[in-house]
């Protein structure tokens, strides 16, 4: 997840169908209805049409400011880097491999290297054309694995279609795998062993921890089961807190593309904590949650603003409606995204110190 690649949140047709009612319409029982408009062959534009004013609720959610929290973490990393260098070590170094010319990927990589510089971490971006073969990419990764100057290493996802993402992720040495995607790191943290955590789930759990949100014994629902976001989040939410300070001891349910639409609402209405990482605007609406719920929105969607007619970023949650019932909620943008980058820097610092070793 590294800044969360949009690939993680891209919906399949099967997923969309799973949230449709028997009459073929998108499942929704509330006062706000999701509408879809084709946009001259471009990506569909979504907007919300108010058919009736939302009722008054007792709660007005506290906004979890991911920008401010990420800044705090970056400052903590900077202080740790300064102390590390003062002890006679070189600054930590992060190498990022970017394959192809995906604008979103390029933007994510730029954000990562800019944040690294601010935290005192040196970095480099290695650009390769999309025509590069998988063998050539794996050779490059192996070269960086053996380079003692490189502490943290990641290959920005997605990779071109002719490559196997899992093979590429597993090629990164576990001790340099600051994305936390190597199968060794995934397996170790699932077994409560020390490991690099994927940056987006790590950031989400850190948001919950720093906000003082109680998780012990709570009902948590994760919408989305991607291997880089949904699955790790579910593992961290249910894991015994004695193994890691960000683990939650929650009773955790995962909803995914085969969860019937009516059952999705059953789960979300009983949830104390809802984390949504799907890629469907307004998937979670006010009528689907109980008062006082904590809502973390990981989704990233580009939609048409019905007022300005311009594109804007939104999450998977009807922010306006749900924030009137939730106790805590994250905005999009300005929520989980900045935390993903901050936790990547934290992982890079840990890699420089050799915090995790499997020799």
């Amino acid at each position: 997840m590294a800044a969360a690649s949009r690939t993680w949140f891209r919906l399949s047709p099967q997923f969309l169908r799973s949230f449709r009612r028997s009459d073929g319409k998108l499942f929704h029982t509330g006062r706000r209805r999701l509408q879809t408009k084709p946009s001259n062959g471009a990506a569909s534009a979504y907007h919300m049409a108010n058919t009736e004013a939302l009722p008054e609720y007792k709660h007005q959610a506290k906004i979890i400011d991911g920008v401010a929290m990420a800044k705090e973490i970056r400052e903590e990393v900077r202080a740790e880097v300064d102390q590390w260098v003062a002890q006679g070590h070189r600054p930590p170094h992060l190498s990022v491999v970017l394959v192809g010319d995906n604008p979103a990927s390029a933007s994510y990589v730029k954000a990562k290297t800019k944040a690294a510089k601010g935290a005192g971490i040196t970095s480099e971006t290695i650009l390769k054309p999309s025509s590069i073969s998988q063998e050539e990419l794996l050779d490059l990764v192996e070269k960086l694995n053996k380079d003692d100057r490189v502490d943290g290493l990641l290959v920005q996802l997605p990779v071109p279609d002719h490559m196997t993402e899992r093979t590429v992720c597993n090629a990164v040495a576990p001790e340099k795998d600051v994305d936390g995607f190597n199968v060794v790191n995934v397996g170790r943290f699932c077994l409560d062993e020390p490991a690099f955590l994927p940056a987006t789930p790590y950031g989400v759990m850190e948001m919950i921890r720093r906000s003082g949100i109680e998780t012990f014994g709570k009902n948590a629902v994760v919408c989305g089961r991607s291997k880089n976001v949904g699955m790790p989040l579910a593992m961290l939410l249910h894991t015994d807190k004695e193994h890691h300070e960000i683990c939650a001891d929650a009773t955790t349910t995962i909803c995914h593309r085969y969860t019937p639409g009516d059952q999705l609402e059953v789960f979300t209405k009983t949830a104390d904590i809802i984390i949504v990482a799907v890629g469907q605007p307004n998937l979670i609406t006010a009528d689907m949650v109980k008062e006082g719920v904590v809502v973390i929105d990981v989704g990233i969607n580009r939609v048409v603003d019905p007022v300005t007619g311009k594109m804007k970023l939104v999450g998977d949650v009807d922010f306006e409606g749900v924030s009137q019932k939730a106790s805590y909620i994250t905005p999009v943008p300005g929520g989980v995204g900045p935390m993903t980058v901050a936790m990547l820097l934290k992982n890079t610092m840990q890699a420089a110190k050799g915090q995790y070793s499997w020799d």
Side-chain angles (χ1 to χ4, degrees):
M1 129 9 65
S5 169
R6 290 186 67 191
T7 302
W8 297 349
F9 313 129
R10 189 174 299 155
L11 286 179
S12 68
Q14 293 94 333
F15 187 95
L16 284 171
R17 286 197 293 271
S18 74
F19 284 102
R20 292 182 183 275
R21 304 184 312 207
S22 58
D23 60 6
K25 297 181 180 179
L26 284 172
F27 177 81
H28 194 273
T29 60
R31 294 177 172 83
R32 314 189 80 176
R33 186 179 302 276
L34 181 65
Q35 297 183 344
T36 306
K37 284 186 177 181
S39 181
N40 298 325
S44 295
Y46 297 86
H47 70 273
M48 296 302 298
N50 287 313
T51 59
E52 190 176 318
L54 286 169
E56 291 295 327
Y57 295 112
K58 297 177 182 178
H59 290 278
Q60 183 62 44
K62 179 177 180 180
I63 309 301
I64 302 177
D65 188 343
V67 174
M69 194 176 290
K71 181 175 183 292
E72 181 179 285
I73 294 170
R74 292 197 308 271
E75 289 172 350
E76 293 170 1
V77 173
R78 179 68 200 227
E80 193 173 357
V81 169
D82 289 344
Q83 183 181 36
W84 178 251
V85 172
Q87 293 171 351
H89 303 283
R90 60 168 175 75
H93 182 80
L94 173 66
S95 291
V96 182
V97 179
L98 176 59
V99 181
D101 54 2
N102 183 309
S105 293
S107 177
Y108 293 143
V109 168
K110 184 177 180 180
K112 293 170 187 176
T113 55
K114 180 180 178 180
K117 181 178 180 180
I121 296 173
T122 62
S123 67
E124 64 178 337
T125 301
I126 302 172
L127 301 174
K128 292 296 178 180
S130 57
S131 59
I132 186 175
S133 69
Q134 178 167 290
E135 290 73 19
E136 290 173 316
L137 178 60
L138 295 179
D139 287 343
L140 172 61
V141 170
E142 182 59 21
K143 178 181 177 182
L144 295 169
N145 284 338
K146 295 178 178 179
D147 189 342
D148 292 337
R149 182 182 62 92
V150 177
D151 299 303
L153 170 61
L154 67 91
V155 178
Q156 181 65 39
L157 301 180
V159 292
D161 292 340
H162 64 277
M163 298 183 184
T164 303
E165 183 177 292
R166 175 46 47 200
T167 300
V168 173
C169 290
N170 287 345
V172 177
E175 65 272 15
K176 296 187 178 186
D177 175 34
V178 290
D179 257 345
F181 292 165
N182 183 291
V183 69
V184 173
N185 279 311
V186 174
R188 285 181 66 89
F189 92 75
C190 285
L191 295 174
D192 303 326
E193 295 291 331
F196 288 113
L197 301 177
T200 296
Y202 194 3
V204 168
M205 299 305 295
E206 188 69 8
M207 294 179 96
I208 291 173
R209 186 184 74 85
R210 292 190 181 227
S211 298
I213 295 168
E214 180 58 63
T215 60
F216 185 86
K218 300 296 184 180
N219 289 328
V221 170
V222 178
C223 297
R225 61 176 179 181
S226 71
K227 298 302 182 284
N228 297 333
V229 181
M231 184 276 287
L233 274 169
M235 294 299 300
L236 293 170
L237 282 164
H238 94 273
T239 298
D240 195 326
K241 201 175 186 70
E242 70 178 32
H243 297 294
H244 198 295
E245 64 180 356
I246 66 167
C247 293
D249 283 308
T251 301
T252 307
T253 301
I254 302 177
C255 296
H256 50 76
R257 65 184 181 181
Y258 296 121
T259 303
D262 56 344
Q263 289 301 303
L264 172 66
E265 186 168 343
V266 171
F267 292 125
T268 58
K269 278 186 172 179
T270 59
D272 302 301
I273 301 168
I274 301 174
I275 302 177
V276 196
V278 172
Q280 169 63 39
N282 297 291
L283 177 65
I284 304 299
T285 50
D287 57 294
M288 297 173 67
V289 304
K290 68 180 184 180
E291 292 193 29
V293 67
V294 174
V295 180
I296 309 294
D297 193 347
V298 188
I300 303 175
N301 308 284
R302 294 185 182 275
V303 304
V304 173
D305 188 319
V307 176
T308 65
K310 297 180 179 180
M311 300 300 291
K312 67 175 183 178
L313 286 179
V314 299
D316 292 347
V317 175
D318 171 18
F319 183 86
E320 180 184 351
V322 174
S323 64
Q324 295 183 43
K325 295 182 74 175
S327 56
Y328 290 86
I329 192 169
T330 59
V332 177
V336 175
M339 290 294 292
T340 296
V341 176
M343 304 320 288
L344 173 68
L345 302 183
K346 195 172 182 69
N347 278 348
T348 303
M349 183 69 251
Q350 292 171 337
K353 289 184 172 183
Q355 187 159 337
Y356 305 124
S357 177
W358 298 272
D359 294 334

